[in-house]
Amino acid sequence: MTGQRRPGLSIDEGVKLAADCIYECLPYAAERNIILIIENHYKDDFWEYPEFAQKMDVFCQLLDAIHHPNFGVNYDPSNTYLAGEDPLELLILVSNRVVTMHASDRYLIEGTVEDLKKEEGGAFGYAKRLKHGEIGKGLNDYDAIFTELKRVHFNGWISIEDGVDGMKQLERSVAFLRKKMKQYWSE
């Protein structure tokens, strides 16, 4: 995370602050063969403002400022909806730097994605219009996601962000992802 997108902080200043902090951590990571990752994040539950680098252009500007073998991206397709942007567009821009992925899916509880865009600026906590759901049943196009990941020879971890409605839902999400992984990586 890069911190909150606080009023008065310019994009260039925020990118420099975040990049400087990441560069400070990279020697420690390199000595231990650790890859630091940054996620296209939304916001912490306790934050008033969204993630500084939530928007695609800022996220990509930050990535362009950091080139190191021990630094990469954790891609979360659902968070891109919270920025009011297209998750596939972001993935195509960053896919060559993706080292891990959060498999998640969200669906709208009420309203539209346009309604979500209007309220994203300053509500405390998480977006109330969206809910985590069973993977493969929400807004994300996993065939397109896996097609792009296969194109760049992705071989990293995929973690599951699900199970909020119980273990049966989590089991269905695991089954869905295993099927997709087999479909795209055993061809």
Short mmCIF file of all heavy atoms in Angstrom, two decimals, residues 2 11-12 15-16 18-19 22 38-41 51-67 71 73 75 80 83 85-98:
data_model
loop_
_atom_site.label_atom_id
_atom_site.label_comp_id
_atom_site.label_asym_id
_atom_site.label_seq_id
_atom_site.Cartn_x
_atom_site.Cartn_y
_atom_site.Cartn_z
N THR A 2 0.37 2.28 -0.59
CA THR A 2 1.12 3.53 -0.69
C THR A 2 0.60 4.59 0.26
O THR A 2 1.12 5.70 0.26
CB THR A 2 1.06 4.08 -2.13
OG1 THR A 2 -0.32 4.25 -2.51
CG2 THR A 2 1.76 3.15 -3.11
N ILE A 11 0.45 14.23 -7.22
CA ILE A 11 0.78 12.89 -7.72
C ILE A 11 2.29 12.69 -7.78
O ILE A 11 2.80 11.68 -7.30
CB ILE A 11 0.12 12.64 -9.09
CG1 ILE A 11 -1.39 12.52 -8.90
CG2 ILE A 11 0.67 11.37 -9.74
CD1 ILE A 11 -2.20 12.42 -10.16
N ASP A 12 3.00 13.65 -8.31
CA ASP A 12 4.46 13.51 -8.40
C ASP A 12 5.09 13.37 -7.02
O ASP A 12 6.01 12.55 -6.83
CB ASP A 12 5.07 14.68 -9.16
CG ASP A 12 4.75 14.65 -10.65
OD1 ASP A 12 4.39 13.56 -11.17
OD2 ASP A 12 4.84 15.70 -11.30
N VAL A 15 4.16 9.86 -5.59
CA VAL A 15 4.92 8.80 -6.27
C VAL A 15 6.36 8.78 -5.77
O VAL A 15 6.91 7.72 -5.49
CB VAL A 15 4.85 8.96 -7.81
CG1 VAL A 15 5.88 8.09 -8.50
CG2 VAL A 15 3.45 8.64 -8.32
N LYS A 16 6.95 9.95 -5.63
CA LYS A 16 8.33 10.02 -5.14
C LYS A 16 8.44 9.47 -3.72
O LYS A 16 9.35 8.69 -3.42
CB LYS A 16 8.87 11.44 -5.20
CG LYS A 16 10.34 11.52 -4.74
CD LYS A 16 10.89 12.91 -4.83
CE LYS A 16 12.32 13.05 -4.38
NZ LYS A 16 12.93 12.04 -3.59
N ALA A 18 6.44 7.31 -2.18
CA ALA A 18 6.23 5.86 -2.19
C ALA A 18 7.43 5.13 -2.78
O ALA A 18 7.90 4.13 -2.23
CB ALA A 18 4.96 5.52 -2.96
N ALA A 19 7.95 5.63 -3.91
CA ALA A 19 9.10 4.99 -4.54
C ALA A 19 10.33 5.02 -3.63
O ALA A 19 11.05 4.02 -3.51
CB ALA A 19 9.41 5.66 -5.89
N ILE A 22 9.95 2.36 -0.97
CA ILE A 22 10.15 1.02 -1.53
C ILE A 22 11.64 0.77 -1.79
O ILE A 22 12.17 -0.29 -1.46
CB ILE A 22 9.29 0.82 -2.79
CG1 ILE A 22 7.81 0.79 -2.39
CG2 ILE A 22 9.70 -0.45 -3.54
CD1 ILE A 22 6.83 0.93 -3.54
N ILE A 38 3.59 -4.83 -4.73
CA ILE A 38 2.63 -3.77 -4.47
C ILE A 38 1.34 -4.16 -5.17
O ILE A 38 1.35 -4.64 -6.31
CB ILE A 38 3.14 -2.40 -4.92
CG1 ILE A 38 2.18 -1.32 -4.43
CG2 ILE A 38 3.35 -2.33 -6.42
CD1 ILE A 38 2.78 0.06 -4.41
N GLU A 39 0.25 -4.00 -4.47
CA GLU A 39 -1.06 -4.35 -5.00
C GLU A 39 -1.78 -3.11 -5.48
O GLU A 39 -1.67 -2.05 -4.88
CB GLU A 39 -1.89 -5.02 -3.90
CG GLU A 39 -3.28 -5.44 -4.34
CD GLU A 39 -4.07 -6.12 -3.24
OE1 GLU A 39 -3.46 -6.66 -2.29
OE2 GLU A 39 -5.30 -6.11 -3.33
N ASN A 40 -2.52 -3.27 -6.56
CA ASN A 40 -3.45 -2.22 -6.97
C ASN A 40 -4.60 -2.25 -5.95
O ASN A 40 -5.60 -2.89 -6.12
CB ASN A 40 -3.95 -2.44 -8.41
CG ASN A 40 -4.65 -3.78 -8.59
OD1 ASN A 40 -4.10 -4.83 -8.29
ND2 ASN A 40 -5.86 -3.74 -9.08
N HIS A 41 -4.39 -1.54 -4.86
CA HIS A 41 -5.25 -1.66 -3.69
C HIS A 41 -6.35 -0.62 -3.69
O HIS A 41 -6.28 0.37 -4.40
CB HIS A 41 -4.37 -1.50 -2.43
CG HIS A 41 -4.96 -2.11 -1.22
ND1 HIS A 41 -5.54 -1.37 -0.23
CD2 HIS A 41 -5.07 -3.41 -0.84
CE1 HIS A 41 -5.98 -2.18 0.72
NE2 HIS A 41 -5.71 -3.42 0.37
N GLU A 51 -6.61 4.49 -1.49
CA GLU A 51 -5.18 4.27 -1.73
C GLU A 51 -4.64 5.36 -2.66
O GLU A 51 -5.26 5.70 -3.66
CB GLU A 51 -5.02 2.90 -2.39
CG GLU A 51 -3.65 2.55 -2.81
CD GLU A 51 -2.76 2.11 -1.67
OE1 GLU A 51 -3.28 1.72 -0.62
OE2 GLU A 51 -1.54 2.18 -1.84
N PHE A 52 -3.46 5.89 -2.34
CA PHE A 52 -2.86 6.92 -3.17
C PHE A 52 -2.71 6.45 -4.61
O PHE A 52 -3.06 7.14 -5.56
CB PHE A 52 -1.49 7.36 -2.61
CG PHE A 52 -0.76 8.28 -3.55
CD1 PHE A 52 -1.12 9.61 -3.65
CD2 PHE A 52 0.25 7.80 -4.36
CE1 PHE A 52 -0.48 10.45 -4.55
CE2 PHE A 52 0.90 8.63 -5.25
CZ PHE A 52 0.53 9.97 -5.35
N ALA A 53 -2.18 5.24 -4.80
CA ALA A 53 -1.93 4.72 -6.15
C ALA A 53 -3.07 3.83 -6.63
O ALA A 53 -2.86 2.91 -7.41
CB ALA A 53 -0.60 3.98 -6.20
N GLN A 54 -4.28 4.13 -6.20
CA GLN A 54 -5.44 3.33 -6.60
C GLN A 54 -5.72 3.45 -8.09
O GLN A 54 -6.00 2.46 -8.76
CB GLN A 54 -6.69 3.77 -5.83
CG GLN A 54 -7.95 3.06 -6.27
CD GLN A 54 -9.21 3.74 -5.76
OE1 GLN A 54 -9.21 4.92 -5.46
NE2 GLN A 54 -10.27 2.97 -5.68
N LYS A 55 -5.63 4.64 -8.63
CA LYS A 55 -5.93 4.86 -10.03
C LYS A 55 -4.83 4.29 -10.92
O LYS A 55 -3.64 4.36 -10.59
CB LYS A 55 -6.11 6.36 -10.32
CG LYS A 55 -7.26 7.00 -9.57
CD LYS A 55 -8.58 6.52 -10.11
CE LYS A 55 -9.73 7.29 -9.48
NZ LYS A 55 -11.00 6.92 -10.05
N MET A 56 -5.22 3.75 -12.03
CA MET A 56 -4.32 3.06 -12.95
C MET A 56 -3.13 3.93 -13.37
O MET A 56 -1.99 3.45 -13.40
CB MET A 56 -5.13 2.64 -14.18
CG MET A 56 -4.44 1.75 -15.14
SD MET A 56 -5.46 1.29 -16.57
CE MET A 56 -7.07 0.99 -15.89
N ASP A 57 -3.38 5.19 -13.70
CA ASP A 57 -2.29 6.03 -14.17
C ASP A 57 -1.26 6.28 -13.08
O ASP A 57 -0.05 6.27 -13.34
CB ASP A 57 -2.81 7.35 -14.75
CG ASP A 57 -3.61 8.18 -13.78
OD1 ASP A 57 -4.17 7.63 -12.80
OD2 ASP A 57 -3.70 9.41 -13.99
N VAL A 58 -1.69 6.45 -11.84
CA VAL A 58 -0.76 6.67 -10.73
C VAL A 58 -0.03 5.38 -10.40
O VAL A 58 1.19 5.39 -10.17
CB VAL A 58 -1.50 7.23 -9.50
CG1 VAL A 58 -0.54 7.43 -8.33
CG2 VAL A 58 -2.22 8.53 -9.84
N PHE A 59 -0.74 4.26 -10.38
CA PHE A 59 -0.14 2.97 -10.11
C PHE A 59 0.97 2.68 -11.12
O PHE A 59 2.08 2.29 -10.77
CB PHE A 59 -1.22 1.88 -10.15
CG PHE A 59 -0.76 0.53 -9.69
CD1 PHE A 59 -0.55 0.26 -8.35
CD2 PHE A 59 -0.56 -0.49 -10.60
CE1 PHE A 59 -0.13 -1.00 -7.93
CE2 PHE A 59 -0.15 -1.75 -10.20
CZ PHE A 59 0.06 -1.99 -8.85
N CYS A 60 0.67 2.92 -12.40
CA CYS A 60 1.67 2.68 -13.45
C CYS A 60 2.83 3.67 -13.37
O CYS A 60 3.98 3.29 -13.63
CB CYS A 60 1.01 2.72 -14.82
SG CYS A 60 -0.07 1.29 -15.11
N GLN A 61 2.56 4.90 -12.98
CA GLN A 61 3.63 5.88 -12.79
C GLN A 61 4.58 5.42 -11.69
O GLN A 61 5.80 5.52 -11.81
CB GLN A 61 3.06 7.26 -12.48
CG GLN A 61 4.10 8.35 -12.41
CD GLN A 61 3.49 9.73 -12.17
OE1 GLN A 61 2.32 9.97 -12.45
NE2 GLN A 61 4.29 10.65 -11.66
N LEU A 62 4.01 4.89 -10.60
CA LEU A 62 4.85 4.37 -9.52
C LEU A 62 5.67 3.17 -10.00
O LEU A 62 6.87 3.09 -9.73
CB LEU A 62 3.99 3.99 -8.31
CG LEU A 62 4.72 3.36 -7.14
CD1 LEU A 62 5.80 4.28 -6.59
CD2 LEU A 62 3.74 2.96 -6.05
N LEU A 63 5.04 2.27 -10.74
CA LEU A 63 5.79 1.11 -11.26
C LEU A 63 6.92 1.56 -12.18
O LEU A 63 8.01 0.99 -12.14
CB LEU A 63 4.86 0.17 -12.02
CG LEU A 63 3.86 -0.63 -11.20
CD1 LEU A 63 3.02 -1.51 -12.10
CD2 LEU A 63 4.55 -1.45 -10.13
N ASP A 64 6.66 2.57 -12.99
CA ASP A 64 7.70 3.08 -13.88
C ASP A 64 8.86 3.69 -13.12
O ASP A 64 9.97 3.77 -13.65
CB ASP A 64 7.11 4.12 -14.85
CG ASP A 64 6.23 3.50 -15.91
OD1 ASP A 64 6.30 2.26 -16.11
OD2 ASP A 64 5.46 4.25 -16.55
N ALA A 65 8.62 4.10 -11.88
CA ALA A 65 9.67 4.72 -11.07
C ALA A 65 10.54 3.68 -10.35
O ALA A 65 11.58 4.03 -9.79
CB ALA A 65 9.06 5.67 -10.04
N ILE A 66 10.12 2.42 -10.37
CA ILE A 66 10.84 1.39 -9.62
C ILE A 66 11.16 0.21 -10.54
O ILE A 66 10.26 -0.50 -10.98
CB ILE A 66 10.01 0.89 -8.42
CG1 ILE A 66 9.61 2.05 -7.52
CG2 ILE A 66 10.78 -0.17 -7.64
CD1 ILE A 66 8.55 1.71 -6.52
N HIS A 67 12.43 0.03 -10.80
CA HIS A 67 12.87 -1.12 -11.60
C HIS A 67 13.91 -1.86 -10.79
O HIS A 67 15.01 -1.36 -10.57
CB HIS A 67 13.42 -0.66 -12.95
CG HIS A 67 12.36 -0.05 -13.80
ND1 HIS A 67 11.48 -0.82 -14.52
CD2 HIS A 67 12.02 1.23 -14.02
CE1 HIS A 67 10.64 -0.03 -15.16
NE2 HIS A 67 10.95 1.23 -14.87
N PHE A 71 11.18 -6.60 -7.05
CA PHE A 71 9.96 -5.80 -6.93
C PHE A 71 8.98 -6.19 -8.03
O PHE A 71 9.37 -6.34 -9.19
CB PHE A 71 10.28 -4.31 -7.03
CG PHE A 71 9.06 -3.43 -6.90
CD1 PHE A 71 8.44 -3.27 -5.67
CD2 PHE A 71 8.54 -2.78 -8.00
CE1 PHE A 71 7.32 -2.47 -5.55
CE2 PHE A 71 7.42 -1.96 -7.89
CZ PHE A 71 6.80 -1.81 -6.65
N VAL A 73 4.32 -6.89 -8.85
CA VAL A 73 2.92 -6.53 -8.65
C VAL A 73 2.13 -7.72 -8.14
O VAL A 73 2.29 -8.84 -8.62
CB VAL A 73 2.29 -6.04 -9.98
CG1 VAL A 73 0.78 -5.87 -9.87
CG2 VAL A 73 2.94 -4.73 -10.42
N TYR A 75 -1.59 -8.46 -8.46
CA TYR A 75 -2.74 -7.98 -9.21
C TYR A 75 -4.03 -8.46 -8.55
O TYR A 75 -4.20 -9.65 -8.27
CB TYR A 75 -2.66 -8.50 -10.65
CG TYR A 75 -3.88 -8.24 -11.49
CD1 TYR A 75 -4.21 -6.94 -11.87
CD2 TYR A 75 -4.70 -9.28 -11.90
CE1 TYR A 75 -5.34 -6.70 -12.65
CE2 TYR A 75 -5.81 -9.05 -12.68
CZ TYR A 75 -6.14 -7.76 -13.04
OH TYR A 75 -7.25 -7.52 -13.80
N THR A 80 -9.76 -2.92 -9.14
CA THR A 80 -9.81 -1.99 -10.25
C THR A 80 -11.23 -1.44 -10.44
O THR A 80 -11.41 -0.28 -10.79
CB THR A 80 -9.31 -2.67 -11.54
OG1 THR A 80 -8.09 -3.33 -11.25
CG2 THR A 80 -9.07 -1.66 -12.64
N ALA A 83 -11.80 1.54 -8.41
CA ALA A 83 -11.21 2.76 -8.97
C ALA A 83 -12.03 3.28 -10.15
O ALA A 83 -11.70 4.30 -10.73
CB ALA A 83 -9.78 2.49 -9.42
N GLU A 85 -12.33 1.65 -12.97
CA GLU A 85 -11.54 1.37 -14.17
C GLU A 85 -11.69 -0.09 -14.58
O GLU A 85 -12.25 -0.89 -13.86
CB GLU A 85 -10.08 1.74 -13.91
CG GLU A 85 -9.91 3.22 -13.62
CD GLU A 85 -8.51 3.63 -13.22
OE1 GLU A 85 -7.76 2.82 -12.65
OE2 GLU A 85 -8.17 4.79 -13.46
N ASP A 86 -11.15 -0.41 -15.74
CA ASP A 86 -11.25 -1.74 -16.32
C ASP A 86 -10.12 -2.63 -15.84
O ASP A 86 -8.94 -2.34 -16.12
CB ASP A 86 -11.22 -1.60 -17.85
CG ASP A 86 -11.34 -2.92 -18.59
OD1 ASP A 86 -11.28 -3.99 -17.96
OD2 ASP A 86 -11.50 -2.87 -19.82
N PRO A 87 -10.43 -3.74 -15.15
CA PRO A 87 -9.36 -4.61 -14.64
C PRO A 87 -8.50 -5.23 -15.74
O PRO A 87 -7.32 -5.46 -15.52
CB PRO A 87 -10.10 -5.68 -13.85
CG PRO A 87 -11.52 -5.55 -14.19
CD PRO A 87 -11.76 -4.21 -14.78
N LEU A 88 -9.07 -5.49 -16.89
CA LEU A 88 -8.27 -6.08 -17.98
C LEU A 88 -7.31 -5.06 -18.57
O LEU A 88 -6.19 -5.41 -18.94
CB LEU A 88 -9.19 -6.65 -19.05
CG LEU A 88 -10.05 -7.81 -18.56
CD1 LEU A 88 -11.04 -8.23 -19.62
CD2 LEU A 88 -9.19 -8.97 -18.11
N GLU A 89 -7.74 -3.82 -18.65
CA GLU A 89 -6.83 -2.77 -19.14
C GLU A 89 -5.62 -2.64 -18.23
O GLU A 89 -4.49 -2.57 -18.70
CB GLU A 89 -7.58 -1.44 -19.22
CG GLU A 89 -6.76 -0.31 -19.80
CD GLU A 89 -7.51 1.01 -19.86
OE1 GLU A 89 -8.74 1.02 -19.68
OE2 GLU A 89 -6.85 2.04 -20.08
N LEU A 90 -5.86 -2.65 -16.91
CA LEU A 90 -4.73 -2.58 -15.98
C LEU A 90 -3.85 -3.81 -16.12
O LEU A 90 -2.63 -3.69 -16.17
CB LEU A 90 -5.21 -2.43 -14.53
CG LEU A 90 -4.08 -2.46 -13.51
CD1 LEU A 90 -3.13 -1.28 -13.69
CD2 LEU A 90 -4.64 -2.50 -12.10
N LEU A 91 -4.45 -4.99 -16.17
CA LEU A 91 -3.65 -6.21 -16.27
C LEU A 91 -2.75 -6.18 -17.49
O LEU A 91 -1.57 -6.54 -17.40
CB LEU A 91 -4.55 -7.44 -16.29
CG LEU A 91 -3.82 -8.78 -16.42
CD1 LEU A 91 -2.81 -8.98 -15.30
CD2 LEU A 91 -4.82 -9.93 -16.49
N ILE A 92 -3.26 -5.75 -18.61
CA ILE A 92 -2.44 -5.70 -19.83
C ILE A 92 -1.27 -4.74 -19.64
O ILE A 92 -0.15 -5.02 -20.09
CB ILE A 92 -3.32 -5.33 -21.04
CG1 ILE A 92 -4.23 -6.52 -21.38
CG2 ILE A 92 -2.46 -4.94 -22.25
CD1 ILE A 92 -5.37 -6.19 -22.31
N LEU A 93 -1.49 -3.65 -18.93
CA LEU A 93 -0.40 -2.68 -18.69
C LEU A 93 0.67 -3.22 -17.75
O LEU A 93 1.84 -2.86 -17.87
CB LEU A 93 -0.97 -1.38 -18.12
CG LEU A 93 -1.81 -0.53 -19.06
CD1 LEU A 93 -2.48 0.61 -18.30
CD2 LEU A 93 -0.95 0.01 -20.20
N VAL A 94 0.30 -4.07 -16.80
CA VAL A 94 1.25 -4.50 -15.76
C VAL A 94 1.56 -6.00 -15.80
O VAL A 94 2.35 -6.47 -14.98
CB VAL A 94 0.76 -4.11 -14.35
CG1 VAL A 94 0.50 -2.62 -14.25
CG2 VAL A 94 -0.47 -4.90 -13.92
N SER A 95 0.99 -6.74 -16.72
CA SER A 95 1.10 -8.21 -16.68
C SER A 95 2.53 -8.72 -16.66
O SER A 95 2.82 -9.74 -16.03
CB SER A 95 0.33 -8.84 -17.84
OG SER A 95 0.82 -8.40 -19.08
N ASN A 96 3.44 -8.02 -17.31
CA ASN A 96 4.84 -8.48 -17.32
C ASN A 96 5.52 -8.28 -15.97
O ASN A 96 6.63 -8.76 -15.76
CB ASN A 96 5.64 -7.79 -18.43
CG ASN A 96 5.72 -6.29 -18.23
OD1 ASN A 96 4.84 -5.67 -17.63
ND2 ASN A 96 6.77 -5.69 -18.73
N ARG A 97 4.85 -7.61 -15.03
CA ARG A 97 5.42 -7.40 -13.69
C ARG A 97 4.63 -8.11 -12.59
O ARG A 97 4.96 -8.00 -11.41
CB ARG A 97 5.52 -5.91 -13.40
CG ARG A 97 6.43 -5.26 -14.47
CD ARG A 97 6.91 -3.91 -14.18
NE ARG A 97 7.72 -3.78 -13.01
CZ ARG A 97 8.09 -2.60 -12.54
NH1 ARG A 97 7.72 -1.50 -13.16
NH2 ARG A 97 8.85 -2.51 -11.47
N VAL A 98 3.57 -8.85 -12.97
CA VAL A 98 2.74 -9.55 -11.99
C VAL A 98 3.49 -10.78 -11.49
O VAL A 98 3.90 -11.63 -12.28
CB VAL A 98 1.37 -9.94 -12.58
CG1 VAL A 98 0.59 -10.81 -11.62
CG2 VAL A 98 0.57 -8.68 -12.94
#
